[in-house]
Amino acid sequence: MAEQEAPAIEPTRGEKERGPDGGAEQNTQRDLHEELSEQKRQSRISAQNLDALYADTVIGGDDIGGASHRATDGGTVNAAGRDQYFFGVTAEDRAVFTVAVSAREVGVIRRCHVPTKSYGELLARLDSEHVLLLRGEPRAGQPTTALAALARWSGDDGRLAWLQMSGNPLHLAPGDLREATGYLLQVGDDATWNGRPDQMLGHLRRTAERARARVVVLASPEFPEHDWAVDHEPPPMDQIFVNWLAHELHEGGEAHPQEWAGKTAADELVRETLAGYRCPRKARELALRVARGLLEDRSLDEILDSLPEQRRRKAQDLLAVETPRRARCFMIASAVLRGAPAAVVAAQTVKLATLIEEELARQTTIEQPPQPHVWEQLSDWLGFAEITLLSPRRGGDGQVVDFPDPSMAGTVLRVVWEEQPTIHEPLLTWLGQLTEDKDPGVQMRAAQAIGLLATYDFPAIQRRFLSTWCQSERYLTHELAAWTLGSAAKDPDLTARVFECLGRWARGSRKEQSVVIRALGSWLGAYWVDEALRALATIAKTNARAFPQRVALSIAQIHQLGSNRTSHRSGVGDVPDNTRRIIAALAQWSAQSDLPGLTSAAALAFVRMLAPPEGAKVLDLAADPGAAVDLVALWRHILDLAVTKDTGAALTPEAWSVLGDWLATWETDAGVRGVLSEVLTRPPVDVRAPLLFHLRLWHRTGEIDAELAGLLAELVEGS
């Protein structure tokens, strides 16, 4: 059943909306647990909506060696097509980045790669040539072929890397390369390469020779002919499918993966589907979807019936001209507002239909016949669109609208945008109106739908919506921009452009920084945690009074979302456990007493991370000696601020409350006992009296016994 709750978004309880420059820290009196609970609910609804919108997106991201890579030197390099963007470090910081290919990824390449003629030629020439050029169409499997050849040449899964340069390739020096290592370098389309390719390649060769390394340069077919060039030959789609399916079945515990994969590939519909593919990524995606279905004991027919291609054909049929226009508008409105009350969807259907009819009238000057009242057609619309009404969870809530298959929502919007260009303008106008709705849930869904459309024309969406929103005085519009960017980044081909935008805005105005804070307090920050922390630190440093609490909320959200590892098969990739990284960063922030915005954000974020239930992850770190040092520093920091600084109810009394929770585990948790023993031993004078007061209070309320209260008092007093 569709989620019916609307996300709770600032402001609440009659608070006035204020911009980021004047009192951006709202809601300081709000209960911490209520705040975090609502934050979690909003994240859940957002994730459900994005899952439906992006069900057709490639599972597991881009090809092997795909769009985004974490640089070993710091920061992240994102490649979209032939473009490269740098997030977390600027082009001025370093001219050359090396991005290690993990041993796990190399192992997958070895198992799943399909040898071709171009692979064989690369392998043969790598023995004697230090630089080779692999020319081919984008998304034709070049990175996989090159990595497979370099892995075979090096014989060491730890000696493969991407070579990324933010400036002139002539800046590359032998010291930038590691001996006996194979590198991939993506050629850009700028004048640096196109104007003098021989000079670029010659410098690469001389540098690689001195480092005794190998470099395979990936280029488009338009790159000039060269003696070092190898023309890439895409591998057969059926063999890619078999190799990946066998791999995934093996990972899932299947006893005979190769045999099962071969039988599945022989299925007539599978062969027909593969015959329509032109890039390896599609065959890999099919293998991943089929493997997941088979491991869930679903039949092959059922799996194939649920493929995006099948949903797309169904959406095309439902949106055909034979379907009444308002029924089609109802389907579009339901795709954007799935899970919303039927009355809301019906009313928005009429608004969208009116905009479309006005646009068609301008184009054709044909008078449109009068339309019956909305409720006279609702049952017909449901029949035409194959949409269902679901009963409410509570009486009086009203029925909600959803597709039997929620994944149809994203498919409908894609088909509408790709195949019905005449309604682009009214559709965007309607979505813009939805973002101004009074219901935060409607706003969020509209912004995420705009993000989906941004995957088709990011510059147009940026001009029409994002640029306006990020310059607004109203912080609620900053939420709209954040939701849109978070949605657009779900498409692996657009992740790089989103991060480029966020990286630029993180160094921009307070309004732009406000958008960045909100965007990173989402799945984006949970996945790109190092980059998010770096950007948030920059913002907290430069805006000491404006953003500490908002930064803290985003960090708590990153911790909350990253507490559970997400399966690679979910379409997001392996999300690391972020807690340790965040704690280490906050400990560094807390030590920078000359930066009050950073120290305040560190304290506020740490308190929010300690709140249950996600606080258990922090408590577990107490057993880690390395993390224990950071925990001691942070506990001292928040207790000091709770007593001596004007941080308001956002920090006090929550700091004392979570300290009481930790003391409750004193007898059973040696790690906690070690951390708190150090924290409570002769603390600063200003902290001692409040500590002794709380020890007496907790003794009276029975949270700690007399013996422990006496022991802790002795530690505090130093006796």
Side-chain angles (χ1 to χ4, degrees), residues 659-676:
L659 177 59
D661 293 340
W662 275 48
L663 284 175
T665 67
W666 178 278
E667 298 292 343
T668 58
D669 193 320
V672 169
R673 192 160 57 247
V675 168
L676 293 187

Side-chain angles (χ1 to χ4, degrees), residues 121 125 132-136 193-194 196-199 201 219-232:
E121 186 174 350
R125 296 177 64 176
L132 289 170
L133 188 70
L134 185 61
R135 301 192 314 172
W193 275 100
N194 293 339
R196 40 184 179 166
D198 288 334
Q199 184 181 7
L201 291 172
S220 69
E222 291 75 29
F223 195 87
E225 293 284 347
H226 202 281
D227 291 341
W228 301 346
V230 174
D231 288 328
H232 176 61

Side-chain angles (χ1 to χ4, degrees), residues 216-550:
V216 174
V217 180
L218 307 179
S220 69
E222 291 75 29
F223 195 87
E225 293 284 347
H226 202 281
D227 291 341
W228 301 346
V230 174
D231 288 328
H232 176 61
E233 175 187 349
M237 299 297 148
D238 58 346
Q239 193 57 54
I240 296 171
F241 175 80
V242 168
N243 287 8
W244 272 98
L245 181 57
H247 167 70
E248 291 294 308
L249 292 175
H250 173 76
E251 292 290 298
E254 168 57 31
H256 305 287
Q258 198 68 43
E259 179 181 351
W260 201 358
K263 290 181 179 179
T264 304
D267 180 86
E268 183 178 351
L269 186 53
V270 170
R271 294 202 310 271
E272 179 183 332
T273 302
L274 289 169
Y277 292 162
R278 293 293 177 267
C279 65
R281 186 172 73 175
K282 295 293 291 182
R284 172 181 174 234
E285 175 189 3
L286 179 63
L288 295 178
R289 291 183 186 275
V290 170
R292 181 171 59 180
L294 293 175
L295 292 170
E296 292 171 353
D297 293 326
R298 296 164 59 198
S299 70
L300 183 58
D301 288 343
E302 182 185 358
I303 297 167
L304 297 176
D305 284 343
S306 65
L307 290 178
E309 294 92 330
Q310 301 299 325
R311 279 199 302 273
R312 185 180 184 85
R313 293 189 190 101
K314 185 173 183 179
Q316 289 170 328
D317 292 340
L318 293 173
L319 291 164
V321 293
E322 292 80 11
T323 304
R325 182 179 300 145
R326 292 205 172 187
R328 283 179 274 164
C329 290
F330 181 66
M331 191 182 310
I332 297 169
S334 298
V336 174
L337 300 172
R338 58 170 296 273
V344 172
V345 178
Q348 291 299 335
T349 295
V350 175
K351 292 182 180 181
L352 175 59
T354 301
L355 289 169
I356 292 175
E357 288 158 6
E358 290 173 351
E359 177 66 21
L360 293 177
R362 283 192 296 270
Q363 295 177 13
T364 64
T365 68
I366 297 175
E367 183 180 356
Q368 300 297 322
Q371 296 289 336
H373 190 270
V374 54
W375 290 109
E376 295 174 4
Q377 288 194 346
L378 181 57
S379 60
D380 293 337
W381 296 350
L382 290 167
F384 280 117
E386 296 189 13
I387 293 171
T388 58
L389 291 179
L390 303 177
S391 299
R393 291 182 177 177
R394 297 177 301 175
D397 281 353
Q399 292 177 306
V400 298
V401 169
D402 204 355
F403 293 89
D405 175 9
S407 302
M408 183 63 78
T411 306
V412 166
L413 289 177
R414 292 178 187 277
V415 170
V416 165
W417 190 260
E418 293 172 9
E419 300 187 5
Q420 301 186 16
T422 57
I423 71 166
H424 283 189
E425 182 58 32
L427 178 60
L428 290 175
T429 299
W430 175 71
L431 288 171
Q433 293 174 356
L434 283 180
T435 63
E436 298 173 1
D437 194 272
K438 294 181 180 180
D439 184 346
V442 170
Q443 294 175 346
M444 181 190 69
R445 290 175 173 92
Q448 290 179 332
I450 291 171
L452 175 65
L453 299 184
T455 65
Y456 293 97
D457 193 344
F458 187 78
I461 296 299
Q462 191 168 20
R463 288 191 302 270
R464 182 160 184 155
F465 296 107
L466 294 174
S467 296
T468 302
W469 288 339
C470 78
Q471 296 303 326
S472 172
E473 296 289 343
R474 300 176 63 246
Y475 68 83
L476 284 177
T477 63
H478 302 167
E479 292 279 12
L480 296 174
W483 284 325
T484 298
L485 290 170
S487 172
K490 278 287 187 178
D491 187 321
D493 290 334
L494 209 65
T495 305
R497 299 189 75 155
V498 170
F499 271 100
E500 188 273 336
C501 182
L502 291 173
R504 186 174 67 253
W505 287 356
R507 301 185 294 273
S509 68
R510 286 190 176 183
K511 298 169 187 175
E512 291 171 332
Q513 290 176 333
S514 175
V515 174
V516 175
I517 293 171
R518 287 165 167 79
L520 293 177
S522 69
W523 76 270
L524 278 175
Y527 189 77
W528 304 101
V529 60
D530 294 329
E531 294 72 27
L533 290 170
R534 195 177 292 113
L536 293 172
T538 298
I539 295 171
K541 289 176 186 176
T542 57
N543 289 289
R545 297 184 61 186
F547 289 134
Q549 184 168 319
R550 186 64 242 185

